[in-house]
Every structure is written in C-alpha cells, then in structure tokens.
Amino acid sequence: DQQVKQNSPSLSVQEGRISILNCDYTNSMFDYFLWYKKYPAEGPTFLISISSIKDKNEDGRFTVFLNKSAKHLSLHIVPSQPGDSAVYFCAASATPLIQGAQKLVFGQGTRLTINP
Amino acid sequence: NAGVTQTPKFRILKIGQSMTLQCAQDMNHNYMYWYRQDPGMGLKLIYYSVGAGITDKGEVPNGYNVSRSTTEDFPLRLELAAPSQTSVYFCASSPYRAQNQPQHFGDGTRLSIL
C-alpha cells in the first residue's frame, strides 16, 4: 500500500522552461509535505516544504502547490537550469499527537533531466 | 560544519555476517532516523530515535537493531546479513522544534550482501 506516489519515473524539460513534478498521497492524516533533491552518490537534500494549512509555498525558483481535496501536490521549477537535473522525491508526514519524530513516507522519485 | 556523517560509504558482506553502519551528526539534533532505499523505490524508515536512550521501529525494522547512547551517534546493526538487505542506507537527523522541521541526510552507505 503506497501512501505517497510519484507516477512519472522520469521527466525531460528544455532549459529555461518550467518543470512540473507531481505527487499524490492517500493518507488524509498527512499534514506536512516536503520535496527533496538527490544527486547520484549523495544523500537527499531538502528543497522546499509546505504545511497543510497553506496551499502554496515559494522559495526562489521553486514553488510547491498543495491541493488537499485532491490529495495532490506539485513542484514547479522556473526557469529550469541544467543543475536541476536530479532525482526529486516527494515526502509526507503526519504530525504526531505528542511531540515526537516525524516519520516521513517517500514517493518513488522522478528523474528530472534538463536539456540545454 | 560536517552535518550528518555516515561510514563506511561502501561495504560488501557475505550472507550471515554482521556489521554496524555508523552515523554521527554534529548539529545537536534530538531526532535521528535510518532509512533504506532499494532501486527504483523511495526511502523506507527502518528505525528512529527521539533522543539518547529512546528508539522505536519504523516501517521495515526486521533484521536490524539500533542504539542511541549519545545525542550525536545512532548506529544501525545488521546481525545476520541476508541478500534482501542489499540496499543503500541513509541516516538523517532533525531538530526538536514546536513546528515541523525538514530532516537532514547523510550521503549514504551502499551495502551489498553476497
């Protein structure tokens, strides 16, 4: 039972254009969502996050949109640059009732390739 | 600032051998986590810890053990290595805050069981 799904294993985008990566989730208890970027032979690097009380969060070229009714979030990168070529993971967690660690549930990842 | 450091980076084990994957963080984070990533899959939580002396199981704990004697270190132990444990293992940490905080990851240990 995959609670977080990234249905596109790969995406190819022209440099300068917009990249849109999608993520769906099934668990309605999830209230914190993150995007991580991963280069080969490195660990995931935090990119941007959003709480369920918002529907949009922006940080420079990166914007995350959350549609709670559809249980869907997306990451927009504009303009796309060659250095953005990486695997992107969507992750979600449910805030524990008592303060504690967040147990992240990850999607399978989408490999983004930016073509010059 | 080193962040989260994992050792070794690579290891090959024979079936039935045991080993400890090391993880250390220098950010004074309370929370620490172990994940595994299989090819083409997302990361899955093995174990986590909310502080020294306190650990709990994640989604896929079978075949692993952990301990947390200090804030800085969170080793993961494989007692009887099996081929199904061939994977890339990531350690992560996050601070104790009132609001949600992202986890910071190490660069991983690639483990092959033959």
Side-chain angles (χ1 to χ4, degrees), chain A residues 60-71:
Chain A
R61 296 186 297 114
F62 304 93
T63 303
V64 55
F65 296 91
L66 176 62
N67 182 333
K68 288 186 289 294
S69 60
K71 293 191 176 66

Side-chain angles (χ1 to χ4, degrees), chain A residues 45-65:
Chain A
T45 302
F46 170 70
L47 200 55
I48 192 169
S49 64
I50 188 167
S51 164
S52 60
I53 62 172
K54 296 184 174 182
D55 54 19
K56 176 183 173 181
N57 189 25
E58 200 170 347
D59 184 1
R61 296 186 297 114
F62 304 93
T63 303
V64 55
F65 296 91

Side-chain angles (χ1 to χ4, degrees), chain B residues 8-54:
Chain B
K9 292 192 184 306
F10 307 95
R11 184 74 185 267
I12 298 174
L13 282 183
K14 293 183 179 178
I15 295 171
Q17 286 186 320
S18 61
M19 79 162 291
T20 299
L21 283 66
Q22 301 292 344
C23 174
Q25 53 92 9
D26 61 0
M27 298 174 282
N28 201 32
H29 285 173
N30 291 80
Y31 302 145
M32 295 188 75
Y33 315 81
W34 275 105
Y35 294 88
R36 60 177 286 174
Q37 186 194 8
D38 298 329
M41 304 294 288
L43 285 71
K44 290 186 185 294
L45 183 64
I46 305 171
Y47 269 97
Y48 67 97
S49 169
V50 300
I54 306 171

